[in-house]
């Protein structure tokens, strides 16, 4: 482990000191530059490396197959084309009526307030998403407000990625206040990987903002492996959960990272230690550049059967796939072909 005192450093400086050079990342982990096979640098130009030092501190020094490293290190296989792996696997552009808004589900409404993430996950289904054309500006709020006000069946707004917790508390407070002004919005869900990669993001100001909102707040974090959840991260998550904020986790099933039942069982137990409930286990969205993380349906079925056999029901995440145009995530277990 790198002895890195990230617990003392505020989240804003951690966010401004990300590692973005693959060679620096390898050097930090005492790995040779040869780990980067030709093509990896080009892959990192197409989708930049971004990783917080706090997250690097959870990786095993000297292990080129560390499951946390594999999620962030650019790989030459990202340059390969494979049939069926496309730039917009969930066809989100067709659900994008107003900048920053994705209305895919009846009662829920997604707002993408920023294109920035604290970490770039190589398997991300939005790695090609044209964020710059889609960020809502202040003047777009009127449009969003009119749209939301007219759609009284929408009771939940989801702040999604980019990562909403890369925004300042001031900006988040402004958006929360705006959403609170619409009477039929009852729930605010925040999807974020920042608490896992920079746990200090869960600072007192943010926690107080969330717990004092009239909206019911759900924080959905994204952790794929128990090694991401060190004691400090668990402490931070647990503190949020104790403030009447529901904290859940979604993970993605990834070849080489968490493709064994034991790894997923350990993840669920560790989440429970942190007061976090496992929510979804997603199979990979078929995004261009991430084919090497995908698993065969039969293997997924086997792994999931073993997970079911080894966990109490409340610790089993739902195995799902998102299918473009569907009104909900599609449950997969027991489905022979997926
Ligand atoms: S944090 Fe989420 S949105 Fe950002 S790159 Fe990772 S998976 Fe994608």
């Amino acid at each position: 482990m790198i002895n890195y005192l990230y617990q003392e450093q505020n989240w804003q400086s951690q966010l401004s000191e990300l590692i973005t050079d693959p060679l620096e990342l390898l050097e930090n982990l005492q790995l040779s530059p040869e780990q980067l096979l030709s093509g990896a640098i080009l892959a990192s130009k197409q989708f930049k490396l971004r990783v917080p030092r706090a997250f690097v501190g959870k990786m095993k020094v000297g292990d080129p197959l560390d499951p946390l490293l594999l999620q962030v290190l650019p790989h030459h296989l990202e340059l390969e084309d494979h049939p069926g792996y496309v730039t917009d696997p969930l066809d989100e552009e067709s659900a994008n009526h107003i900048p920053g808004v994705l209305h895919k589900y009846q009662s829920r409404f997604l707002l993408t307030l920023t294109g920035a993430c604290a970490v770039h996950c190589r398997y991300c289904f939005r790695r090609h998403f044209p964020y710059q054309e889609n960020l809502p500006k202040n003047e777009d709020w009127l449009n969003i407000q009119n749209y939301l006000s007219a759609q009284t069946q929408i009771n939940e707004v989801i702040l999604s990625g980019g990562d909403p917790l890369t925004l300042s508390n001031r900006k988040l407070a402004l958006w929360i206040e705006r959403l609170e002004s619409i009477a039929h919005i009852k729930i605010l869900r925040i999807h974020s990987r920042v608490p896992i990669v920079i746990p200090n993001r869960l600072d007192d100001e943010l926690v107080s903002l969330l717990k004092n909102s009239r909206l019911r707040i759900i924080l959905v974090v994204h952790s794929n492996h128990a090694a991401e959840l060190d004691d400090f991260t668990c402490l931070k998550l647990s503190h949020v959960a104790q403030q009447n904020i529901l904290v859940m986790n979604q993970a993605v099933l990834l070849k080489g990272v968490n493709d064994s039942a034991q790894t997923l069982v350990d993840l669920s137990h560790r989440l429970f230690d942190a007061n976090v409930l496992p929510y979804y286990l997603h199979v990979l969205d078929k995004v261009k550049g991430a084919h090497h993380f995908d698993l065969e349906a039969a293997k997924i079925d086997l792994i999931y059967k073993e997970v079911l056999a080894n966990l109490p029901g409340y610790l089993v995440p739902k195995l799902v796939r998102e299918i473009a145009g569907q009104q909900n995530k599609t449950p997969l277990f027991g489905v022979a072909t997926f």
Side-chain angles (χ1 to χ4, degrees):
M1 284 276 180
I2 291 173
N3 183 14
Y4 182 72
L5 291 175
Y6 69 88
Q7 300 175 10
E8 308 297 328
Q9 195 184 10
N10 70 43
W11 67 271
Q12 293 91 340
S13 17
Q14 293 192 48
L15 198 56
S16 65
E17 291 173 14
L18 302 177
I19 295 184
T20 54
D21 176 355
L23 293 172
E24 186 190 348
L25 174 58
L26 293 176
E27 197 183 316
N28 266 276
L29 295 167
Q30 296 171 23
L31 290 167
S32 96
E34 273 88 69
Q35 292 298 327
L36 287 174
L37 296 180
S38 94
I41 295 291
L42 184 57
S44 79
K45 289 197 169 113
Q46 292 182 356
F47 185 49
K48 279 198 172 150
L49 168 78
R50 276 170 79 85
V51 57
R53 290 164 200 271
F55 194 62
V56 178
K58 298 174 187 177
M59 297 175 187
K60 257 192 250 126
V61 171
D63 182 1
L65 297 180
D66 178 89
L68 280 54
L69 174 65
L70 294 181
Q71 294 176 58
V72 300
L73 188 68
H75 199 290
H76 69 282
L77 290 177
E78 291 172 38
L79 302 176
E80 288 185 358
D81 275 326
H82 289 272
Y85 291 75
V86 296
T87 53
D88 182 11
L90 305 184
D91 190 24
E92 289 197 318
E93 284 198 59
S94 65
N96 184 212
H97 311 297
I98 308 172
V101 165
L102 292 172
H103 191 190
K104 300 198 280 188
Y105 308 122
Q106 287 264 336
S107 62
R108 282 100 69 211
F109 176 91
L110 254 91
L111 266 177
T112 54
L113 300 180
T114 170
C117 289
V119 62
H120 277 176
C121 314
R122 308 312 297 177
Y123 52 84
C124 178
F125 73 92
R126 291 204 180 121
R127 53 180 286 164
H128 308 281
F129 192 76
Y131 283 112
Q132 285 324 313
E133 300 149 33
N134 276 295
L135 300 180
K137 300 182 195 62
N138 266 332
E139 55 269 29
D140 291 318
W141 166 242
L142 207 57
N143 272 341
I144 296 173
Q145 189 181 32
N146 288 339
Y147 185 84
L148 270 178
S149 299
Q151 307 268 338
T152 49
Q153 82 284 7
I154 296 175
N155 63 5
E156 179 172 1
V157 171
I158 302 170
L159 303 186
S160 180
D163 197 313
L165 291 188
T166 56
L167 295 174
S168 67
N169 290 334
R170 193 182 48 77
K171 210 160 193 176
L172 283 171
L174 173 70
W175 279 95
I176 291 175
E177 202 180 306
R178 285 170 169 170
L179 296 170
E180 283 172 338
S181 72
I182 300 170
H184 57 269
I185 304 296
K186 309 275 186 227
I187 303 165
L188 176 66
R189 202 189 321 166
I190 301 174
H191 283 188
S192 177
R193 187 146 161 77
V194 183
I196 305 301
V197 297
I198 305 180
N200 271 349
R201 178 63 188 93
L202 300 175
D203 61 10
D204 292 346
E205 197 181 31
L206 176 67
V207 175
S208 151
L209 173 67
L210 300 182
K211 84 173 182 193
N212 290 313
S213 171
R214 80 148 179 89
L215 303 172
R216 180 80 171 94
I217 307 283
I218 305 175
L219 174 63
V220 181
V221 295
H222 171 179
S223 172
N224 298 319
H225 195 285
E228 297 173 17
L229 301 165
D230 62 4
D231 290 347
F232 184 67
T233 310
C234 288
L235 203 72
K236 287 283 188 183
L237 291 168
S238 185
H239 174 64
V240 175
Q242 284 159 11
Q243 314 302 314
N244 199 26
I245 294 167
L246 181 60
V247 189
M248 301 196 286
N249 182 64
Q250 50 185 346
V252 184
L253 189 54
L254 300 165
K255 191 194 256 178
V257 173
N258 56 8
D259 54 339
S260 83
Q262 190 56 54
T263 306
L264 295 170
V265 167
D266 291 346
L267 173 61
S268 276
H269 283 302
R270 194 63 182 146
L271 288 166
F272 197 57
D273 288 345
N275 255 321
V276 179
L277 282 177
Y279 176 34
Y280 279 137
L281 177 62
H282 294 265
V283 301
L284 186 85
D285 294 313
K286 294 189 181 300
V287 65
K288 185 171 154 54
H291 173 267
H292 55 295
F293 285 111
D294 212 354
L295 289 156
E296 310 248 311
K299 166 109 178 160
I300 296 174
D301 223 46
L302 262 181
I303 294 172
Y304 197 65
K305 254 187 210 134
E306 215 180 314
V307 168
L308 280 168
N310 284 284
L311 282 173
Y314 58 89
L315 288 186
V316 179
K318 293 185 198 81
L319 179 69
V320 290
R321 155 156 289 156
E322 187 154 350
I323 298 174
Q326 297 276 323
Q327 285 295 310
N328 48 273
K329 305 241 185 319
T330 304
L332 290 181
F333 182 62
V335 182
T337 49
F338 53 81

